[in-house]
Amino acid sequence: MAATTFLETPQGRRLAYHKSEGAGPTVVFLGGLKSDMEGTKAVHLEDWARARGQAYLRFDYSGHGESSGRFEEGCIGDWHEDTVAAVSALTERPLIVVGSSMGGWQALLLARAMPERIAGMVTIAAAPDFTEDGYWASFTDAQKEALETVGHVELPSDYMEPYIITKRMIEDGRTRLVLRSPLNLPFPVRFLQGTADTAVSTETAVRLLDHASGPDMRLLLVKDADHRFSDGPCLGLIEDGVRDVMGAN
């Protein structure tokens, strides 16, 4: 296993990353909320890219994994800055962006920030605007009051310890929404979504497909696949998606 390398960002954060050299375009994996670059999908795609001789990058957002900072201090905008910093400093070729869950939102934000760099995109249970449409929309009056008085609420997770959701995360998320204004994806896109996902609904996937515009966009619903989307068949579908968007160019 190669040693972790670190990048100092313009914002003063220290991001942990692994980069594999190879032919272009560079495949970039964007992980989910409180996930890290050692997750099954991130590591599997790295092995797949290496076997193909394909350039590949995975990294930890600030407050995640081996990177600096605490999760509770971060927000969608911070992690977008991290993504832009990592891509700008560590890659030169066109990108194939693979975004999982919150990483799907980050992929869409990256497309809005630098569409000229992206040659294709694959999302896995993409969760755009979840701070507003998921968290805020479901908060009780007591939780909304706690945001104001305490500054955060704790939410249970199916996969790990409770999430600490801060007032800053909610307020910053409102400045990063992508489903309220035109969202142009001028490159091949494959959205992957499991029907047994309890974190992101198929309705969210269909809403994203309906809302975004682009010349080559497809949604694949996988019956009984859950939010992890990381068993053997699902990993194969991610490979197929990456291969598909690369071949469409």
Side-chain angles (χ1 to χ4, degrees):
M1 177 69 70
T4 301
T5 311
F6 292 88
L7 169 71
E8 298 290 337
T9 75
Q11 295 79 24
R13 304 179 192 119
R14 189 169 185 256
L15 303 184
Y17 71 92
H18 285 265
K19 179 183 177 184
S20 303
E21 300 296 341
T26 301
V27 179
V28 179
F29 186 82
L30 304 179
L33 191 72
K34 293 199 81 175
S35 296
D36 61 46
M37 63 174 172
E38 298 302 326
T40 301
K41 294 184 289 292
V43 173
H44 177 87
L45 266 185
E46 180 179 67
D47 292 341
W48 177 84
R50 279 182 174 160
R52 290 171 51 93
Q54 193 91 37
Y56 183 79
L57 173 67
R58 58 185 169 101
F59 67 94
D60 286 331
Y61 311 112
S62 53
H64 292 67
E66 298 178 73
S67 291
S68 67
R70 296 172 57 243
F71 172 78
E72 293 80 7
E73 297 170 341
C75 61
I76 301 300
D78 291 348
W79 303 323
H80 173 58
E81 290 173 349
D82 294 344
T83 301
V84 170
V87 164
S88 299
L90 302 173
T91 70
E92 296 177 352
R93 302 184 180 96
L95 307 174
I96 302 295
V97 182
V98 182
S100 175
S101 193
M102 190 270 285
W105 188 359
Q106 292 295 339
L108 299 170
L109 289 171
L110 188 65
R112 194 163 70 179
M114 47 177 65
E116 72 285 350
R117 289 291 314 277
I118 300 179
M121 180 182 294
V122 177
T123 69
I124 307 149
D129 300 5
F130 72 85
T131 54
E132 191 70 12
D133 298 333
Y135 291 161
W136 180 256
S138 66
F139 281 171
T140 63
D141 289 342
Q143 287 173 313
K144 291 177 179 178
E145 183 179 353
L147 274 187
E148 290 296 328
T149 57
V150 182
H152 70 268
V153 296
E154 291 190 13
L155 297 182
S157 166
D158 290 341
Y159 302 103
M160 59 187 76
E161 69 274 5
Y163 292 138
I164 304 297
I165 305 304
T166 64
K167 180 181 179 182
R168 178 171 182 252
M169 183 186 290
I170 297 296
E171 292 182 341
D172 173 84
R174 291 190 179 125
T175 71
R176 310 287 174 174
L177 303 176
V178 295
L179 296 178
R180 271 79 170 168
S181 57
L183 177 62
N184 186 35
L185 305 176
F187 39 74
V189 182
R190 303 294 179 262
F191 302 122
L192 307 179
Q193 176 71 41
T195 64
D197 190 331
T198 58
V200 177
S201 67
T202 55
E203 288 78 11
T204 298
V206 172
R207 182 184 177 195
L208 174 57
L209 179 72
D210 286 343
H211 177 74
S213 60
D216 182 4
M217 202 176 307
R218 303 175 197 173
L219 167 62
L220 176 64
L221 296 179
V222 182
K223 186 172 176 60
D224 296 332
D226 64 15
H227 190 64
R228 292 181 185 274
F229 210 87
S230 57
D231 63 13
C234 286
L235 293 173
L237 291 173
I238 298 170
E239 294 173 12
D240 291 345
V242 175
R243 208 181 285 115
D244 198 19
V245 297
M246 279 197 284
N249 282 280

